[in-house]
Amino acid sequence: MTRATPSPTDPVTAPVVRAYDRYGRQADKWQAGYRARGGKIFCGAGCFQCCNMPIRVSLAEALITARAIDAAQAEAMEAHARAALQNARTAQDDAQYVQRHRQEVGFCPLLDRETGACTQYEARPTRCRDTFSAFPAQYCAEGTWEAMSNREKREYHREVARTPGTDGEWHFIAPLEHLSEPVWVAASKAMQAQWGLEVWGDFWLLTTLAADAGFMARVERGDARGAWQVASGRGLAHRELLQIE
């Protein structure tokens, strides 16, 4: 059997992969119990209404995705990142940023719109793994909330409050998000241990920078300023979408 070529970033990505596996086992167990108690989870194959949300990841996670994608997908990821950057530069506030990301930046380029499947499911980041809905997919779709009347919104919140597993305000299943917190911790510790710094930010932007040898060389040296300069030189630096700490 051919073994994968070792990478200098393996010590950073390996703890995250192990944390992904642990999360998967724990999430499966929790969901089985939840369903046994009468709970419903509406997420499944072909459901992708949340795939146009902006998501924040660690560079450790982005490295895993960057290794998995091909050249065409990498090009599409960079285009998506640049659209997100343009949105961040012109959005008046966070609410407008999120709305325009969903409406104009659009769905993740790793999504197969014909099947509704993620083409890099095994390499998807934490936020894609831990987002589950206790309501039908229409409630995850962009524009649903805005189109609801005040009466419908009040009824929505009453129904959310009655639904076990939610945080009482929104229809996403809170315990499955909480179970993923060790993944974030694993990423943070691994980055600090190997690089002496942490890098967090937009999924598509970090996946693009993870494939940039100059950026990664500076990150691996713990050179936060140099890494920022490389990202800036490529037009891929924005304080809201790239944090080097």
Side-chain angles (χ1 to χ4, degrees):
M1 182 173 66
T2 302
R3 300 185 64 180
T5 303
S7 166
T9 58
D10 285 348
V12 174
T13 58
V16 176
V17 172
R18 291 194 294 269
Y20 282 165
D21 290 341
R22 286 194 299 271
Y23 174 77
R25 294 191 299 270
Q26 293 169 346
D28 286 348
K29 182 178 179 180
W30 189 93
Q31 289 179 72
Y34 181 69
R35 290 190 171 100
R37 296 188 298 273
K40 292 184 178 180
I41 299 174
F42 288 86
C43 306
C47 178
F48 59 89
Q49 292 301 329
C50 64
C51 295
N52 57 5
M53 292 181 179
I55 55 173
R56 185 172 185 264
V57 304
S58 63
L59 180 56
E61 295 170 273
L63 281 162
I64 294 169
T65 305
R67 289 183 190 175
I69 60 179
D70 61 25
Q73 288 179 322
E75 184 177 348
M77 292 288 275
E78 180 172 345
H80 202 81
R82 292 189 182 280
L85 280 161
Q86 180 60 25
N87 182 24
R89 291 173 181 134
T90 57
Q92 295 180 356
D93 52 35
D94 288 344
Q96 186 182 55
Y97 174 77
V98 172
Q99 182 183 41
R100 294 198 317 197
H101 191 285
R102 302 198 73 186
Q103 291 178 342
E104 300 172 17
V105 179
F107 287 97
C108 177
L110 300 183
L111 172 68
D112 183 335
R113 291 292 298 276
E114 291 186 3
T115 65
C118 176
T119 60
Q120 296 295 343
Y121 189 75
E122 295 302 320
R124 71 198 190 283
T126 304
R127 186 53 70 216
C128 299
R129 295 169 187 262
D130 72 359
T131 299
F132 291 86
S133 175
F135 281 22
Q138 70 191 66
Y139 290 96
C140 301
E142 188 281 320
T144 296
W145 174 258
E146 291 77 8
M148 292 166 64
S149 66
N150 288 334
R151 180 186 62 78
E152 290 170 329
K153 289 178 179 178
R154 289 193 296 270
E155 178 55 32
Y156 166 88
H157 282 303
R158 284 193 291 268
E159 188 60 29
V160 167
R162 292 192 292 263
T163 302
T166 71
D167 64 2
E169 184 176 3
W170 301 107
H171 63 279
F172 299 106
I173 298 178
L176 289 170
E177 293 184 356
H178 297 157
L179 278 175
S180 72
E181 290 175 6
V183 182
W184 303 102
V185 173
S188 174
K189 288 182 176 180
M191 290 188 290
Q192 281 288 350
Q194 294 299 314
W195 303 332
L197 53 76
E198 298 181 34
V199 186
W200 299 83
D202 175 81
F203 171 49
W204 301 276
L205 185 144
L206 286 192
T207 302
T208 300
L209 289 174
D212 186 304
F215 178 81
M216 288 306 306
R218 286 158 180 80
V219 167
E220 290 166 13
R221 292 200 299 266
D223 180 4
R225 182 177 180 182
W228 179 270
Q229 288 174 339
V230 171
S232 181
R234 290 191 58 185
L236 294 172
H238 187 283
R239 298 294 179 187
E240 295 299 319
L241 303 192
L242 175 62
Q243 296 92 43
I244 307 175
E245 304 163 353

